[in-house]
Every structure is written in C-alpha cells, then in structure tokens.
Amino acid sequence: MTAESASHLRRISVFDATLRDGEQAPGNAMSAQSKVTLALAAEAYGADVVEAGFPGSSPEDAEATRLIAQALTTAKFATFNRASTSDVRQSMLAGGARPNHQVQICGTGSDIHLKHKRGITREESVQEVRDSIRLAVELGATDISFGVEDASRSAKDHVQALVTTAVECGAGTIILADTTGCATPHEYGSLCAAVRSWIPDEVILSTHCHDDMGLSLANALAGIEAGADQIQATLGGIGERAGNTALEELAAVLAYKGEQFGVIIEIRLDLLYPAYQSLAETIALPPYRNKAVVGVNSFATEAGIHQDGILKNPVNYEYLNPHRFGRERSLLVGRHSGRAVLRYLLTRTGIPHDDALVDELYEEFIASTPMGACEELDDLAKRLSDRATAQADT
C-alpha cells in the first residue's frame, strides 16, 4: 500500500488489553516486572494504549502500573476502574496525572447485571458514572475512557443515558463491551452504529469483544464498519473464559483487507510473534497447533498436494506471507506427504533420480512413517544424502 493510497483511510488505534483482561484468566498471572517487559514489547509493535492493570484490585497491579507509567515513552497506558471513586483514587495514585495516563472507567449496562450483580437501579448506575468521572477530572486526569459493561445485553436507552452522561462529564472515549461474547456481528455492529450517532465525532468509539462463540474478531470488524475508531485486543486472544479479540488476527485482517474496510492499522507485524512467544513463556501458555498467525502449524504443511503447490509457488496455499509476521515457512515430511517433496529434495541435493527411485524412496521414507510422526525437510535431505553416499561406497 502506497502512502498516497493510505492517505484516505481512517486510522484504527489499538488498545492492548493483554496485561489486564488477558491476565484475569486462570493461569495467566504475571509479575509486575513481566508486565513491564510485555508493555515495552506492545509499545514496540505499535499499540497505542497499553492497559497496565487494575490498581484498585491489588498492590501488585498498582506497582505494575507505576513501573509501566515510568517505562513507556510513546504509548499511553490505561488503568482499569469500576465506576467507583475509590478505584479512581487508587488509579490516580498509581498512574498519576500524566498526559499519557488513560483512566478507564467501567459502568454497569445490562439490567441483568444491575439486578443480579449490583443490586442497583439504572439511575444509580448513571450517578456512579457521573461521580467517578468528575473525580478523575478533579484529580487531574486528562484522558478518560468510559466502558459499558455487558453493553450487548443492555437496553439501548440505558446505554444512551450512560454514554451521554460520560461524554458530558469529560470522557473522550466510549467502549462497548460484549462482555459475555453473546452478540453476533449484526447485533454488535448495530449497537456500535447507534452509539456512534449519539456521540460527537471527536469522541473515540472503541470495541471490547469476547470470544465465547468464536465471534470476537468478526464483531470487532463489524464495529469498525459501524464507525469504531479503536479495537481493544489481546495477544493470542487471551482473556476471560474463551478470551478476547486476538490482536495478531486483527492486525492480519487489516494489513491485508484494510482498504476494503476503509481503514489502516499501524502495527509492526514482524514483532507480534516474538512478543507472543515472550507472553507464552511468561504465563506458561501451551503451544497451539492451529491458531492463526501464532500457531505452531500456521505456516506449516505436511499434505503432499499442498507441498507440491507451495514448492511451485508459495502463493498457491499461502495467503499470509510468513515472513511479514516474523515466521518461517515449514514443509514437514510425514505420511501425508507425496513424491513431489522427494523430487524437490533429490534435485536440491544433486542426486540423480528417476520415477523408479522416487517410488522406492517414497516407500522407504514416507509411506512407512509412523502415524503422527514427521520431520523437517533438511533432516530428510540429510538422510537421502547419506543413503546415496552409502550406496555409492558399496
């Protein structure tokens, strides 16, 4: 994409929620210093806002926030707060009245939560928002975002009351949370379009989607089509229950399809996988075989038909270029491989061959491979070379 072609595209900012929502899932706890390392990685790959944590929840989160606030130089950092004056005070103590500190306040949206979780009325929830945002302003916050929890199950008139109150009190960003991952793209897009029509153009509209039905990325994209300016996402899609919008998947879609959406995203694709590896090591996240972009097999194939096509031209079966994402193409030889990979290796190693030899080697090295086993091309190339040398010596 040229600079000229990108000039008419709307920029989508990225709010990286890995260190807060991502950490909340069982098994994902991180130390304050680990969070600093990952926050710097997020800043390096281009996250506009890095969510440092929830200072009101623990001294560890407060300490992580203080350290991240000192470490970041280009990205903003965000603190999570309920619509609670106590939470806001804790966040302002931890993060300070810095220009790059975004105070994120979360209000109660759905009648389900109002009744069964909070035990308060709609009017009381609006007043909480008013009080907490006003306090943040009084304490020197210059960047305030307001999120509607369970927005996708909320009555639209209540969502409107919450967001208009938030904007009137000083919020510059509105976040719509599909907290339970229950929305379809049509439903979530309609909600985003409605809220976009209620708030001034200069107020940022942000998505926060969960993946309980596997729709978080689709919902985030529907939000973009409906006017969202920002996406909240996590590396690897980690987060509560089934997780959040996967940052690397969002980046891939918009890197390849951004013009179709009329938007651009400024993320260093090549730095996402190293950051994901660091995250996985930090929280002992098991490798995924089939996860998009960061999965073990994202750019690997064993199937003979696919290998034949890739050897002729990778574009036959690779839509995403692995090198753009800091990955390598991997052709693994196993029971599903074919003769094409043998011909390729024999030619590469300079071993003369005909169909009879290829058939013989196929039976010896591929057809007899134990179920589930496979090896790298270079390893098989060495075995073929050793075989040829041994036969020449006899």
Side-chain angles (χ1 to χ4, degrees), residues 322-366:
H323 303 298
R324 289 190 70 182
F325 295 90
R327 303 294 306 273
E328 294 294 331
R329 180 179 304 114
S330 178
L331 300 183
L332 299 169
V333 184
R335 287 179 62 183
H336 297 102
S337 300
R339 291 168 175 78
V341 73
L342 285 171
R343 292 190 181 94
Y344 166 77
L345 289 175
L346 291 167
T347 300
R348 195 181 82 175
T349 53
I351 299 173
H353 57 278
D354 54 18
D355 288 346
L357 177 61
V358 170
D359 287 342
E360 180 183 341
L361 294 174
Y362 176 80
E363 293 299 324
E364 182 177 346
F365 290 104
I366 294 180

Side-chain angles (χ1 to χ4, degrees), residues 310-321:
I310 288 173
L311 289 170
K312 290 172 179 173
N313 190 327
V315 74
N316 282 318
Y317 287 102
E318 284 179 3
Y319 183 69
L320 301 184
N321 183 332

Side-chain angles (χ1 to χ4, degrees), residues 36-192:
V36 173
T37 300
L38 292 167
L40 289 171
E43 183 177 61
Y45 58 63
D48 297 276
V49 186
V50 178
E51 191 172 24
F54 180 5
S57 69
S58 69
E60 185 77 12
D61 263 28
E63 176 63 12
T65 298
R66 282 190 287 270
L67 294 175
I68 290 170
Q70 295 166 7
L72 296 182
T73 55
T74 58
K76 293 181 179 181
F77 70 95
T79 51
F80 180 85
N81 306 270
R82 294 163 296 189
S84 156
T85 55
S86 174
D87 282 4
V88 170
R89 289 186 189 278
Q90 291 295 320
S91 282
M92 292 305 292
L93 281 172
R98 301 168 185 260
N100 67 331
H101 178 190
Q102 182 175 109
V103 179
Q104 183 178 207
I105 294 169
C106 181
T108 306
S110 70
D111 289 333
I112 295 170
H113 280 205
L114 288 168
K115 178 180 178 181
H116 298 292
K117 188 179 87 166
R118 299 296 314 286
I120 62 175
T121 65
R122 290 186 183 183
E123 292 73 19
E124 288 172 320
S125 71
V126 172
Q127 187 60 45
E128 285 183 337
V129 172
R130 186 178 292 112
D131 293 342
S132 55
I133 293 179
R134 284 177 175 172
L135 177 62
V137 172
E138 289 174 13
L139 295 177
T142 56
D143 186 350
I144 299 170
S145 62
F146 171 69
V148 183
E149 186 179 16
D150 208 19
S152 48
R153 293 194 294 177
S154 302
K156 282 194 175 178
D157 59 339
H158 183 47
V159 174
Q160 185 171 18
L162 289 168
V163 301
T164 53
T165 297
V167 171
E168 288 168 2
C169 292
T173 299
I174 296 297
I175 307 153
L176 299 176
D178 181 29
T179 302
T180 63
C182 68
T184 64
H186 174 74
E187 291 168 335
Y188 189 73
S190 296
L191 174 63
C192 289

Side-chain angles (χ1 to χ4, degrees), residues 273 276-277 286-303 306-307 310 317-322 325 327-333 336 372-376:
Y273 185 62
Y276 174 78
Q277 288 179 303
Y288 292 100
R289 286 185 185 175
N290 63 329
K291 192 129 182 30
V293 181
V294 297
V296 174
N297 292 340
S298 297
F299 301 101
T301 183
E302 181 193 334
H306 285 224
Q307 290 180 340
I310 288 173
Y317 287 102
E318 284 179 3
Y319 183 69
L320 301 184
N321 183 332
F325 295 90
R327 303 294 306 273
E328 294 294 331
R329 180 179 304 114
S330 178
L331 300 183
L332 299 169
V333 184
H336 297 102
C374 54
E375 64 181 325
E376 296 282 351

